[in-house]
Amino acid sequence: MAPRRWSFLIPVLLFTAAMAVLLWLAFYAIRIAPEPLHGFMLAWFAMITIVLHLWQEHAMVADPKGFVRRFMAGLMLKMLLSLTVLVVLLLRAPTETVMPSGITFALLYLAFLAFSTVRLSALSRQLPKA
């Protein structure tokens, strides 16, 4: 069963919304005010996940070996681009927000990484075996 071109969009957006709620609840619990920077982090991970899933799922049916290469390349791209974004954000952030922002970024990175890995692994298992 071939995934449709934009079939990943709703799950990614729902996951992003869930992460926004969890982030807000966590900040509320530890009495830290959410900042626009945290919204940017959520938007960054949603955008990079959407772009990578569009690129990766497109090759899933047509070229399964190419999908594996794209999956591994996507992991590397996400890590390198996210590290670059993190460094820029933390260099520009006020000193008192560096630690909470860095931890937030790392947790969002891990959450979106787990989401992508689980989703793509589940989709690849559904493919007909050659």
Side-chain angles (χ1 to χ4, degrees):
M1 177 178 192
R4 292 193 309 246
R5 183 113 172 127
W6 294 97
S7 64
F8 59 87
L9 197 55
I10 298 294
V12 171
L13 294 177
L14 287 174
F15 184 77
T16 302
M19 288 293 99
V21 169
L22 287 174
L23 189 63
W24 183 83
L25 288 172
F27 282 148
Y28 181 77
I30 60 176
R31 293 174 170 53
I32 293 179
E35 298 180 13
L37 174 64
H38 302 120
F40 174 79
M41 290 177 189
L42 271 170
W44 162 255
F45 285 114
M47 180 198 67
I48 194 78
T49 302
I50 288 170
V51 168
L52 287 176
H53 276 258
L54 179 64
W55 180 58
Q56 291 165 335
E57 289 185 25
H58 181 67
M60 190 175 287
V61 176
D63 183 16
K65 289 182 183 178
F67 164 71
V68 172
R69 284 190 298 272
R70 286 184 186 203
F71 178 73
M72 297 307 289
L75 291 176
M76 190 170 57
L77 279 170
K78 185 180 232 177
M79 182 184 63
L80 292 175
L81 292 174
S82 293
L83 268 175
T84 303
V85 168
L86 176 63
V87 167
V88 169
L89 289 178
L90 293 183
L91 287 176
R92 300 185 54 83
T95 307
E96 64 274 2
T97 65
V98 168
M99 187 61 72
S101 296
I103 292 170
T104 300
F105 196 91
L107 292 174
L108 287 173
Y109 173 81
L110 292 173
F112 276 88
L113 180 67
F115 169 80
S116 292
T117 303
V118 168
R119 177 170 167 73
L120 291 172
S121 295
L123 288 175
S124 69
R125 285 190 195 109
Q126 294 175 357
L127 291 176
K129 303 296 181 216

